[in-house]
Amino acid sequence: MTTLTTSTGAQYARILGTGSHRGSRVVTNEEMCTMIDSTPEWIEQRTGIKERRWATKDETVLAMATDAGRQALERAGVNPEQVGAIIVASVSHHIPSPGLSDYLARELGCPSPATFDISAACAGFVYALTLAESLVRAGHAGANGFVLIVGVERLSDMTNIADRGTAFLFGDGAGAAVVRTSQTPAISPAVWGSTPENVKTIENQRWTDVPDGDTDFPVIQMDGHTVYKWALSEVADHAGEAIRAAGITPEQLDIFLPHQANDRITDAIVRHVHLPESVMVCRDIAEMGNTSSASIPIAMDAMLHDGRAHSGQTALIIGFGAGLVYAGQVIVLP
Ligand SMILES: CC(C)(COP(=O)(O)OP(=O)(O)OC[C@H]1O[C@@H](n2cnc3c(N)ncnc32)[C@H](O)[C@@H]1OP(=O)(O)O)[C@@H](O)C(=O)NCCC(=O)NCCS
């Protein structure tokens, strides 16, 4: 019988470096309330959002992903030629094919990485990290073993300004990380999954329903209340499962970095899993709004580079959103 060669990889993987790009136009709650019937106080009290970032015309998903990706490579000390695979998580790349990862490879000067895009909404970055970790451990990350992952969104393109129930939530930006082999465990098992009965809770309008002239892209339609209730019950449970899957207790965590969807959801998860006060809770949403797949890596990059977080600390990350999908795990910071 013919015996095939199979791949073998590393025992462990880790994040090696991060980068980010924030949309450059600051849209305050005051400005938002010139567009929708609301008040700055209502928005801040219900969500924690004080302002959000919207991309300018030149800040395309490709431009933002390139900026974040280049920073991550530089900080990881990795040359573009060494990248074995690129995974882009996004719901804002409006061309079915080629993937944004293909354009990104060209922009970054990566000669021949494996490239693919994933659509896992606000859990996209954690899904991409889980895939990257799996590639490294399976030996599918190329000769040098480096995987670049990017979460990038231009949700302002997909925001229905006529909908005062969602218009104030969303922002634009990109976050990136380089993943490679590790001598020690640095990415715990993912607790990930979906709740298919809620598939219609957050949906994009169909392309065929885009009205001529008014908007260029299919807008987001969301039953915010259902998302909120699901996050408080199921996502909060999954956060606890992710801590247990890492084999640690809440007291051993340094940082809680959830998807930046709503500060009240963050607070509820903190209470549900009994995070002690020693755990720093990330609240990047105040300045960024909800940037879907980009929110976790953008916030992680900021915390690492403004001194709030340090290499070697443990962080619980958890993404959740349209699908409804979720993914949580504990990581060691680069
Ligand atoms: C969107 C969200 C902030 C709305 O908050 P809420 O408390 O659920 O608000 P509701 O839709 O129940 O509306 C409550 C009241 O506020 C009003 N309201 C809705 N939008 C408003 C706005 N922008 N400004 C002022 N009032 C508003 C409603 O009309 C309603 O008024 P009523 O009580 O007189 O009928 C909240 O549901 C949420 O954050 N959900 C999660 C969404 C999310 O994170 N999605 C992304 C997941 S990745």
Side-chain angles (χ1 to χ4, degrees), residues 130-184:
T130 300
L131 292 173
E133 189 240 8
S134 305
L135 294 181
V136 168
R137 296 183 60 202
H140 286 304
N144 300 293
F146 295 108
V147 181
L148 175 66
I149 59 174
V150 179
V152 57
E153 307 290 358
R154 262 183 76 107
L155 298 181
S156 60
D157 286 341
M158 299 149 65
T159 296
N160 181 1
I161 288 296
D163 176 9
R164 74 170 186 150
T166 60
F168 52 87
L169 286 172
F170 302 116
D172 303 335
V178 174
V179 179
R180 76 155 308 177
T181 57
S182 172
Q183 298 297 317
T184 52

Side-chain angles (χ1 to χ4, degrees), residues 36-39 42-43 46-47 122 164-165 168-170 202 222 224-225 227-228 259 261-262 264-265 290 320-322:
I36 62 170
D37 175 18
S38 188
T39 64
W42 189 95
I43 296 171
R46 292 288 167 128
T47 65
C122 306
R164 74 170 186 150
F168 52 87
L169 286 172
F170 302 116
I202 310 173
M222 178 179 71
H225 206 64
V227 181
Y228 188 76
H259 165 50
N262 184 320
R264 291 192 300 153
I265 294 175
N290 176 346
F320 50 93

